[in-house]
Amino acid sequence: MFGAGLLAAAAVAAAAAAESGLDREDQFRSGAASLLLLGGLVAAVPLGAGALNRDAAGGHLGLLVGSGASRREVAAAVLLARVAALIAIVAAWAVALQIGSLALGLGLDGPLAVHSLAVFVSLLLTMLAAGAASSVVGPVPAGAFAVAVFISAQAAVNLKAAADQDLIGTAGGLVNALYYVVPRAIVSPMIADLQARDVGGPAAPSLEINDNPVLVPASGWGSVLWTLAWCALLAIACVGGLRRRPLA
């Protein structure tokens, strides 16, 4: 996965090299956003989905607890290792993309760097959701739960934007209520711009309701802090789930 992402970053830069001017920048950023999001999900979901269930069922966690480690310490160590792995993957891909930007003559890309951090927060949420579920169920349902959390977080942001633009009628009140309860995907200024101009590719397809375009704004610090709070809550749920799980 680590190496595949680096090869994909090189492919993104090579594809953008065929363009010029603003088209080259848009092509590169769109490809970079797709790599970070889609490739990141492919990395984050398995990292979280197999965090606790496999080792618990195999007896490895039971041996650690039997040797004197508390379940809280074991769960925290497993989670920190998975978070470190996700950081390493996203950071390596982000650096490779910056090198690609330099090679294309675009210079160091500040908006892409900010986008990389924004994507990491959304991926962290997804991985921790899978990790929390992995303390209770197997890898497949844990992964499915994580994907559902990611989709709901993205839907919350999209629907809130539509409600703010009065595009969903009476359902706007319910959408606003849910927005302040569920976690939110983090939208960077770069991706908001690409989506508004319909050049975001798979990572940011244009949105329409009844032929009216939905303009999704960049997330503010409030949304970032809210989603990080959800990440902390899911980490606590992971520890709590392991405390109640039988260890082979």
Side-chain angles (χ1 to χ4, degrees):
M1 173 57 64
F2 185 88
L6 297 179
L7 291 175
V12 166
E19 306 291 341
S20 60
L22 181 59
D23 289 339
R24 170 178 289 190
E25 183 177 275
D26 286 345
Q27 176 78 15
F28 177 71
R29 287 180 172 177
S30 173
S34 296
L35 166 62
L36 290 169
L37 177 61
L38 302 180
L41 285 173
V42 171
V45 171
L47 276 174
L52 295 172
N53 38 40
R54 291 173 179 167
D55 285 342
H60 302 297
L61 299 187
L63 288 174
L64 290 174
V65 172
S67 67
S70 69
R71 293 190 179 218
R72 178 181 298 177
E73 291 171 339
V74 170
V78 171
L79 279 184
L80 287 174
R82 303 292 169 130
V83 171
L86 184 62
I87 290 174
I89 290 170
V90 175
W93 293 355
V95 170
L97 289 169
Q98 290 293 339
I99 293 173
S101 180
L102 289 171
L104 291 171
L106 301 175
L108 291 175
D109 195 329
L112 178 57
V114 172
H115 176 71
S116 300
L117 292 173
V119 171
F120 173 75
V121 174
S122 295
L123 294 177
L124 179 63
L125 172 74
T126 306
M127 190 194 74
L128 290 175
S134 78
S135 67
V136 181
V137 298
V140 174
F145 174 72
V147 172
V149 168
F150 175 81
I151 292 173
S152 67
Q154 188 64 63
V157 172
N158 293 344
L159 290 173
K160 180 63 165 63
D164 288 345
Q165 295 167 50
D166 296 323
L167 297 179
I168 53 178
T170 57
L174 177 60
V175 168
N176 284 322
L178 289 175
Y179 179 78
Y180 291 104
V181 175
V182 301
R184 308 166 193 167
I186 306 303
V187 181
S188 71
M190 185 193 88
I191 211 68
D193 172 65
L194 292 176
Q195 188 175 46
R197 294 188 290 113
D198 196 17
V199 291
S206 60
L207 302 175
E208 290 186 355
I209 295 180
N210 296 326
D211 295 327
N212 295 306
V214 178
L215 302 178
V216 182
S219 301
W221 280 107
S223 289
V224 175
L225 293 175
W226 179 254
T227 299
L228 288 175
W230 263 99
C231 289
L233 182 63
L234 288 168
I236 292 171
C238 183
V239 174
L242 186 63
R243 290 177 64 183
R244 293 169 176 78
R245 181 188 179 107
L247 299 179

